[in-house]
Amino acid sequence: MPHVFELAPSGRSKCRGCGRSIERAELRFGERLPNPFTEGGEMTAWFHPLCAAYKRPEPLLQALAERPDEVPDRERLERTARSGLEHPRLVRIDGADRAASGQAKCRSCHEPIARGGLRIRIVFWEEGRFTGGGYLHLDCRKAYFETDEVLDRLLHFSPDLGEDERDELTRACGADTPGPAAPQA
Ligand SMILES: [Zn+2]
Ligand SMILES: [Zn+2]
């Protein structure tokens, strides 16, 4: 079956991208996947459309292309998804947090991440779900992602960060104003 957009019939599904509930009657994106537990079976991974644009750009773009009609925020979804195709490591971004201990090592430079420092969480998509892939120094973002356009992803997947951390992230990423970038002319 092809991937799908639909209005959630209940509030019980959770977004694979951010882990939060998808509300009843909210538009959701379903990625069809082979079910690893049943021969020839399929399963559907549900996402908020923007979460899928960040983390599963290929199936999302495929579904958008097959659906030329009404999808709210289509331009932003397409732009976001294409940035993940241009810089494939971007899709691994799972947000930012403060290191609770000094034990984790950075995936990029392999040095420890100091306790209390802001770090970027990385995940990998495997068999229909994301699994933790470690952390990066905030300052190693450019070396690892090969682009500096990470702030909107960090903020999107860090809804629990306080104002202070959001400000610190924004300043560290050298952005004037957080939030969605203006559409390209
Ligand atoms: Zn989500
Ligand atoms: Zn590093």
Side-chain angles (χ1 to χ4, degrees):
M1 283 200 294
H3 308 310
V4 64
F5 287 99
E6 65 169 40
L7 300 180
S10 76
R12 287 196 302 272
S13 60
K14 280 210 166 138
C15 173
R16 293 275 169 118
C18 68
R20 305 215 151 198
S21 293
I22 300 173
E23 284 179 40
R24 195 171 86 83
E26 191 177 3
L27 186 71
R28 65 181 185 177
F29 168 69
E31 178 179 358
R32 309 287 195 194
L33 297 154
N35 186 330
F37 304 108
T38 59
E39 187 83 19
E42 275 197 330
M43 62 181 191
T44 305
W46 297 108
F47 294 88
H48 296 113
L50 186 56
C51 291
Y54 281 126
K55 285 185 162 176
R56 300 292 298 145
E58 282 176 28
L60 183 85
L61 285 172
Q62 196 181 330
L64 283 172
E66 286 164 7
R67 196 185 155 119
D69 53 333
E70 75 316 324
V71 175
D73 258 351
R74 168 187 287 272
E75 269 185 34
R76 182 179 181 197
L77 293 174
E78 288 179 343
R79 192 171 66 242
T80 301
R82 277 196 300 267
S83 73
L85 296 186
E86 281 165 34
H87 301 285
R89 284 181 168 181
L90 284 178
V91 306
R92 300 177 183 172
I93 291 180
D94 191 48
D97 58 33
R98 255 186 219 294
S101 77
Q103 286 164 0
K105 290 204 170 139
C106 172
R107 263 195 97 88
S108 180
C109 71
H110 308 294
E111 295 294 324
I113 299 173
R115 180 163 178 267
L118 282 171
R119 61 186 183 180
I120 300 174
R121 286 193 305 276
I122 297 296
V123 290
F124 292 101
W125 178 252
E126 285 163 357
E127 295 193 334
R129 51 193 291 270
F130 289 101
T131 54
Y135 301 94
L136 296 172
H137 290 115
L138 193 54
D139 285 345
C140 288
R141 63 188 183 276
K142 216 167 174 178
Y144 186 79
F145 298 110
E146 298 175 334
T147 170
D148 209 12
E149 303 290 308
V150 300
L151 181 63
D152 58 336
R153 291 168 185 267
L154 294 178
L155 293 176
H156 179 82
F157 289 111
S158 310
D160 295 329
L161 277 189
E163 278 304 311
D164 286 358
E165 277 99 1
R166 298 175 86 81
D167 286 349
E168 191 177 333
L169 269 180
T170 303
R171 279 196 309 273
C173 291
D176 303 326
T177 48
Q184 310 272 320

